[in-house]
């Protein structure tokens, strides 16, 4: 019979092996009966522990599930309808044309279905374990789970792949709505795009017996936020990609994220190894507790306060020491990440000595410098693309978003045209400097002046015949004929003149 102790079992196996080899060396064939050791039975949790765990899970699920109740739906003022809610037969509430905003308010507003409790139990008596978790971690006491459908955006219908392109028209999408901290804890707002949609309510939050649902529209604060962010990125993406402040910030934030992930993974793995096998569901409980400690400030404060009550003054000194060490490590990590990021996005050194150059179209000197690093070009493309996506998804009317994007992208051309028009309008007009004359009078005055100058030239030639010898022999005969009254220039025939054209040039 094998001993249950692992050390004695290994010693017994060594003795049996030695006896077998000794018999074989002595010439006597000793057969040793060996029996396969059965695998140790898997330890099971006691029945009481299993029942406790199942009770906790059932309590959590029962608290998270919505309960049946009565809903009073008011589609219009004075027109209300009572509905009995159940998960099998949810109430379908659809927005009517009277609920939607007028056309010029659609880009900046959103629909809101407000579910307000009109009759509820005392929350402290009806609170469940899941409600306590929600109130502890998120600051909200109850949650309302609904299913909704809404028309697909215009860009999404073209097959665009983007976070806002969620297909909630053919299939119902799920949403969990919690009451806002600045509202009453019994008011739940379900927001939809201004194009409309339907909301299916299968139950009310825990503790709510009756509620009233009404449609309305309100200003969407995300529209100016996304629009301003997108315009800022589109207009200033070139100086942003060269900004050393942005480069250092990116390196510091990335290094902090890496540090937090590494510390969380290290502490979680070490704690899982410590409690695995000693506590039922030790690995799962450790993962949940560490996640709560990292991501939920209220749970972290409660754990630290509970741990601080153990050691009194010594625990306080230990806590502040750990915090100081973590702060120093974080500062060193941020400094290192910022330096690495600056080196990664840095421009190459300017060349020394003679620099080759060319002359641009405007006559300016263009130096032949090293090209911009690909890291900055990639960063600029990411910033520009993010700005385009933000502008396209800013308003609730895709046509308006597209027009705004086109205007922003062609802003330089439009500004140049407006500047030229302003110069033309603001320039000094000729009539402001001198009185102008009609064109016919100008031509008649020119002919009269020309004829007077010709008569004066003929008179001069007739008074002084020696002037004929001052020209070449080929021109002397023409000059004599001109002094005798001939035309000073022979115009070509009308057939040779041809139609007037703007392509002619005067040399």
């Amino acid at each position: 019979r094998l001993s249950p102790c692992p050390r004695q079992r290994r010693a017994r196996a060594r003795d049996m092996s030695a006896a077998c080899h000794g018999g074989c060396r002595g010439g006597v064939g000793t057969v040793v009966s060996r029996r396969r050791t059965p695998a140790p039975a898997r330890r099971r949790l006691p029945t009481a522990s299993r029942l406790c765990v199942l009770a906790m899970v059932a309590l959590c699920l029962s608290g998270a599930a919505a309960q049946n109740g009565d809903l009073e739906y008011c589609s219009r003022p004075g027109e209300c309808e009572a509905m009995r809610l159940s998960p099998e037969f949810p109430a379908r509430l659809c927005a009517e044309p009277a609920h939607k905003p007028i056309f010029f308010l659609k880009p900046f507003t959103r629909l809101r279905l407000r579910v307000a409790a009109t009759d509820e139990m005392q929350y402290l008596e009806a609170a469940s374990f899941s409600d306590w978790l929600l109130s502890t971690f998120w600051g909200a006491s109850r949650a309302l789970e609904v299913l909704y459908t809404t028309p697909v955006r215009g860009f999404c219908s073209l097959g665009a792949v983007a976070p806002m392109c969620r297909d909630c028209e053919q299939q119902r999408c799920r949403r969990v709505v919690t009451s806002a901290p600045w509202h009453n804890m019994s008011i739940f707002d379900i927001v939809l795009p201004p194009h409309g949609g339907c909301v299916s309510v299968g139950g009310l939050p825990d503790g709510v017996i009756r509620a009233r649902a009404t449609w309305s529209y309100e200003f969407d604060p995300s529209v100016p936020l996304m629009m301003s962010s997108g315009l800022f990125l589109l207009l200033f993406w070139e100086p942003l990609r060269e900004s050393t402040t942005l480069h250092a910030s990116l390196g510091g934030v990335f290094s902090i994220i890496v540090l937090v992930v590494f510390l969380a993974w290290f502490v979680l793995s070490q704690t899982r190894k410590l409690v695995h096998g000693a506590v039922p569901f030790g690995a799962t409980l450790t993962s949940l507790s560490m996640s709560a400690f990292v991501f939920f400030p209220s749970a972290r404060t409660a754990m630290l306060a509970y741990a601080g009550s153990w050691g009194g003054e010594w625990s306080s000194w230990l806590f502040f020491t750990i915090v100081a060490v973590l702060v120093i490590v974080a500062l060193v990590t941020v400094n290192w990440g910022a330096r690495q990021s600056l080196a990664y996005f840095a421009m190459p050194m300017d060349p020394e000595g003679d620099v080759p150059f060319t002359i641009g179209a405007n006559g300016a000197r263009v130096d032949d410098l090293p090209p911009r690093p690909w890291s900055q070009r990639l960063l600029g493309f990411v910033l520009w693309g993010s700005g385009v996506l933000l502008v396209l998804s800013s308003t609730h009317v895709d046509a308006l978003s597209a027009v705004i994007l086109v205007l922003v992208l062609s802003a330089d051309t439009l500004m140049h045209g407006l500047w030229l028009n302003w110069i033309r309008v603001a320039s000094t007009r000729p009539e402001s400097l001198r009185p102008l004359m009609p064109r016919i009078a100008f031509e008649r005055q020119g002919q009269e002046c020309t004829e007077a100058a010709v008569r004066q030239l003929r008179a001069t030639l007739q008074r002084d015949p020696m002037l004929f010898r001052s020209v070449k022999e080929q021109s002397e005969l023409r000059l004599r004929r001109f002094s005798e009254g001939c035309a000073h220039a022979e115009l070509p025939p009308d057939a040779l003149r041809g139609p007037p054209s703007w392509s002619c040039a005067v040399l």
Side-chain angles (χ1 to χ4, degrees), residues 4 11 16 60 74 88 110 226 316 323 331 365 426 439 444 456 492:
M16 294 173 63
C60 294
C74 298
E88 295 78 11
R110 62 186 181 185
M226 297 179 66
S316 301
V323 170
L331 293 177
R365 168 176 171 170
R439 181 177 295 275
R444 183 172 58 252
Q456 184 179 1

Side-chain angles (χ1 to χ4, degrees), residues 106-163:
K106 281 187 177 181
F108 316 103
T109 56
R110 62 186 181 185
L111 285 176
R112 181 188 66 190
L113 177 63
R114 170 162 291 184
V115 179
T118 57
D119 189 4
E120 55 183 340
M121 299 181 293
Q122 292 294 330
Y123 179 70
L124 295 178
E125 298 177 1
S128 61
F129 181 73
S130 61
D131 295 330
W132 176 81
L133 288 178
L134 286 173
S135 62
T136 302
F137 294 151
W138 296 107
S141 57
R142 284 163 286 189
L144 176 63
E145 181 178 352
V146 297
L147 299 175
Y148 69 95
T149 57
T150 183
V152 181
R153 291 177 63 102
F155 295 127
C156 301
S157 61
L158 302 176
V161 179

Side-chain angles (χ1 to χ4, degrees), residues 132-428:
W132 176 81
L133 288 178
L134 286 173
S135 62
T136 302
F137 294 151
W138 296 107
S141 57
R142 284 163 286 189
L144 176 63
E145 181 178 352
V146 297
L147 299 175
Y148 69 95
T149 57
T150 183
V152 181
R153 291 177 63 102
F155 295 127
C156 301
S157 61
L158 302 176
V161 179
M164 62 275 190
C165 292
R166 187 180 181 185
D167 187 10
C168 294
E169 184 176 12
Q170 304 298 332
Q171 57 183 358
R172 296 186 298 177
C173 299
R174 177 178 176 271
R175 179 180 295 178
V176 178
V177 183
T178 58
S179 56
W182 52 86
H183 284 167
N184 192 335
M185 302 302 291
S186 302
I187 296 179
F188 305 88
D189 292 337
I190 302 99
V191 294
L192 294 178
H195 306 288
C198 296
V199 178
S200 299
V201 183
L204 297 177
D206 187 27
V208 179
I209 302 175
R210 295 183 183 87
R212 176 178 296 176
T214 55
W215 285 101
S216 62
Y217 62 88
E218 62 180 4
F219 176 73
D220 191 357
S222 64
V223 173
L225 179 62
M226 297 179 66
M227 179 65 69
S228 58
S229 302
L231 294 179
F232 179 77
L233 292 178
L234 285 177
L235 296 178
F236 301 102
W237 65 273
E238 289 186 351
L240 282 176
R241 71 176 181 181
E242 303 173 3
S243 174
T244 56
T245 304
L246 179 61
H247 300 165
S249 302
L250 290 176
V253 171
F254 183 75
S255 61
I256 284 294
I257 293 175
V258 172
L259 177 63
V260 170
V261 171
F262 173 75
L263 289 178
W265 170 81
F266 178 76
V267 175
L268 184 61
S269 60
Q270 296 299 321
T271 311
R272 286 168 62 94
K273 292 179 182 179
L274 179 64
V275 301
H276 183 65
V279 179
F281 297 102
T284 305
L285 294 177
T286 304
S287 302
L288 294 177
S289 62
M290 291 304 300
S291 301
F293 184 83
V294 173
F295 296 105
F296 302 112
S298 56
R300 181 166 58 250
T301 304
M303 292 181 185
L304 292 176
Y306 181 69
S309 62
W310 290 352
E313 184 178 358
W314 288 101
S315 61
S316 301
W317 281 104
L318 180 61
F319 171 75
F320 285 114
T321 303
I322 294 176
V323 170
V325 172
L326 291 179
V327 169
I328 293 175
V329 171
L331 293 177
V332 173
T333 305
V334 168
N335 187 20
W336 179 82
R339 291 178 179 273
Q340 295 298 321
S341 180
L342 289 175
Y344 181 73
F345 289 102
M347 286 286 294
M349 298 295 295
D350 293 336
E352 299 180 356
D354 297 336
V355 178
F357 66 92
T358 57
I359 303 300
N362 57 350
R365 168 176 171 170
V366 180
D367 294 334
D368 188 8
L369 299 176
R372 191 175 302 277
W374 68 270
S375 57
Q376 286 194 13
R377 287 181 286 180
L378 180 61
L379 178 60
F381 176 76
V382 170
L383 295 175
W384 184 85
S386 301
V388 170
L389 292 179
L390 287 174
V391 172
L392 286 179
S393 58
S394 58
T395 66
H396 295 288
V397 178
D398 297 327
L400 179 61
S401 301
V403 170
I404 294 176
L405 178 62
V406 171
L407 292 178
V408 173
L409 294 180
S410 58
D412 294 339
T413 304
L414 293 177
M415 293 300 295
H416 181 68
L418 293 176
W419 176 250
L420 293 180
N421 189 29
W422 171 255
I423 292 177
R424 182 180 62 82
V425 172
S427 59
T428 304

